[in-house]
Amino acid sequence: MTVPFSSARRSAPVAGPSVARSLLPAIPELERLVSRSGVGGPAWSGMVRDGALTPLWGGTAIRGDAEAGPTDRAHAIAHLLPRRGVVGRASAVWVHAGGPPPVRVDVLLPVGSRRPYEHPDRRCAETLLPAEDLDRVGDVAVTNLVRTAVDVARWLEPDVAHEHLRRLVVHGLDLAAARTLLETFSGRRRARLAREVLDTVA
């Protein structure tokens, strides 16, 4: 018996897009922050090249479709903070305002703290760190905008300090508050230079 053409056509299996997709392996969704060690060197290089990852600092990157914010930047360098360590100076500018990442992370420690072991990716300094000068960015301690401005004005070369301070102003720095805080550093090393630097920032 001959089967009519129309019936044969109706009984034939039809492969649609859903069938094709089901044959592909599932692609795991990337975490927001990814470490080089977590994905492996070759995979890391390929994902950076293809735009799936955007490097943040060192061996940490953010997923390519995400925009990095202060919490992302703070978490990218958190592994370099010793106990009681605080991100400060130029590194704090980067956490708060973005821009070029630091070559080495500036870590501030309370006066009298035990110095951590030497690490090529960080530099440490002891200083007074009252609680009102600090912020929590995610779960990372960072000097707040005002204290960061004072430290940058004191310790960085004036032309570099100006660049950092202008970025902080864009992100909400109150220059008057920075000048007021600087008064508490009167008589300390480089305080006069810091005043001159702050006074020339528009």
Side-chain angles (χ1 to χ4, degrees), residues 116-147:
Y117 65 87
E118 294 292 328
H119 194 291
D121 291 334
R122 73 181 172 209
R123 54 191 163 205
C124 299
E126 291 185 22
T127 185
L128 296 175
L129 290 170
E132 58 268 24
D133 289 356
L134 307 181
D135 279 342
R136 301 294 297 190
V137 181
D139 56 3
V140 179
V142 184
T143 54
N144 61 27
L145 288 175
V146 172
R147 174 59 188 271

Side-chain angles (χ1 to χ4, degrees), residues 56-166:
L56 274 180
W57 193 90
T60 304
I62 191 168
R63 206 174 55 220
D65 62 345
E67 183 176 352
T71 301
D72 300 310
R73 292 187 287 269
H75 286 170
I77 57 178
H79 64 286
L80 290 170
L81 289 182
R83 180 174 171 271
R84 303 182 70 193
V86 175
V87 179
R89 301 184 183 178
S91 299
V93 175
W94 178 67
V95 168
H96 288 299
V103 176
R104 298 173 71 192
V105 174
D106 296 299
V107 176
L108 304 181
L109 296 165
V111 173
S113 296
R114 181 177 180 179
R115 299 283 287 202
Y117 65 87
E118 294 292 328
H119 194 291
D121 291 334
R122 73 181 172 209
R123 54 191 163 205
C124 299
E126 291 185 22
T127 185
L128 296 175
L129 290 170
E132 58 268 24
D133 289 356
L134 307 181
D135 279 342
R136 301 294 297 190
V137 181
D139 56 3
V140 179
V142 184
T143 54
N144 61 27
L145 288 175
V146 172
R147 174 59 188 271
T148 299
V150 169
D151 287 346
V152 163
R154 285 184 71 195
W155 299 110
L156 274 64
E157 291 300 316
D159 56 339
V160 178
H162 283 141
E163 180 181 346
H164 286 314
L165 290 168
R166 283 193 291 268

